[in-house]
Amino acid sequence: MDEQSQRTALLSALTTEHFVLQTANSSSYLEASARSTLYVMALSSSLVAMGFLSGSADVLIPFAATVLPTVFLIGIFTVVRLVETALESMHYLDGIASIRGYYRTLGPDAARHFAPENGRWPEVESPATRLGPMLGFFGTTASMIAIINNVVAGAGIALLTRLLSPSAPRWMDAAAGSVGAFVLTFVFYAYQRWRFREFNVRSRERIGR
């Protein structure tokens, strides 16, 4: 096979890979949307059921003690998977950027059409981080679901505090729930930063090889 044939075959393979990566990236967004919707539906259904039972404390308290931890666990599983889905999407975009880099070598017109500034992350800075990494990380789908889930945990902590200390002031229940939700949010934020940092380190190692 001559050089021109090899170049043509490589371009065909890269075009196919580009399409596969775009399809996989779209699938990652669909999965994130489906998982987020499933969690929100489970939470909203539980809250509606608790609303119907609110007139009877003897029934509401055992129901809430069963449902809230279950919803919280579902939320944890959902959030962990949403973080992984975001990393998978970044991996696909990294591959697409590499292919676009080859497209730019095809000629002057290709270099203009596939210029890095016309691409997306990682060829250009992500718009999500232009206001700082903290706001960027809190703007992810995983963060939104995590905050909702942490509020659920805070409500459970407040309810538990009321059951253990029925004579305590009500503000203590709210304070305990708020502190619990804040601590869980901090833990999730640290976890998400760690996972993204680990992904970036592996990406740099892969490029170095």
Side-chain angles (χ1 to χ4, degrees), residues 126-168:
S126 174
T129 60
R130 289 179 182 174
L131 295 178
M134 178 174 291
L135 289 180
F137 278 107
F138 274 118
T140 64
T141 303
S143 293
M144 291 186 290
I145 297 299
I147 291 175
I148 295 174
N149 197 47
N150 295 338
V151 171
V152 172
I157 293 172
L159 178 61
L160 181 62
T161 303
R162 170 54 47 184
L163 293 176
L164 295 178
S165 303
S167 60

Side-chain angles (χ1 to χ4, degrees), residues 25-178:
N25 192 40
S26 298
S27 298
S28 68
Y29 289 133
L30 290 175
E31 180 184 351
S33 177
R35 288 181 179 273
S36 302
T37 301
L38 180 62
Y39 170 78
V40 172
M41 289 180 61
L43 175 59
S44 60
S45 300
S46 301
L47 294 178
V48 169
M50 291 175 63
F52 283 119
L53 298 175
S54 60
S56 176
D58 294 337
V59 179
L60 175 62
I61 293 177
F63 181 83
T66 303
V67 170
L68 290 181
T70 303
V71 173
F72 178 69
L73 286 176
I74 294 175
I76 290 179
F77 299 148
T78 301
V79 164
V80 170
R81 182 54 192 163
L82 288 176
V83 171
E84 299 304 319
T85 301
L87 295 178
E88 289 177 4
S89 176
M90 293 174 63
H91 177 70
Y92 300 143
L93 293 177
D94 198 4
I96 291 174
S98 178
I99 294 174
R100 282 174 52 86
Y102 177 80
Y103 290 163
R104 287 193 287 272
T105 67
L106 299 178
D109 290 338
R112 183 176 67 257
H113 288 296
F114 295 102
E117 57 269 19
N118 295 331
R120 56 188 305 177
W121 184 93
E123 294 181 297
V124 297
E125 181 186 7
S126 174
T129 60
R130 289 179 182 174
L131 295 178
M134 178 174 291
L135 289 180
F137 278 107
F138 274 118
T140 64
T141 303
S143 293
M144 291 186 290
I145 297 299
I147 291 175
I148 295 174
N149 197 47
N150 295 338
V151 171
V152 172
I157 293 172
L159 178 61
L160 181 62
T161 303
R162 170 54 47 184
L163 293 176
L164 295 178
S165 303
S167 60
R170 291 191 177 274
W171 65 266
M172 291 187 60
D173 305 339
S178 299

Side-chain angles (χ1 to χ4, degrees), residues 2-21:
D2 57 22
E3 183 178 352
Q4 181 61 33
S5 298
Q6 291 179 350
R7 189 176 179 88
T8 301
L10 176 60
L11 180 60
S12 177
L14 288 176
T15 303
T16 302
E17 180 67 9
H18 194 163
F19 174 77
V20 170
L21 290 173

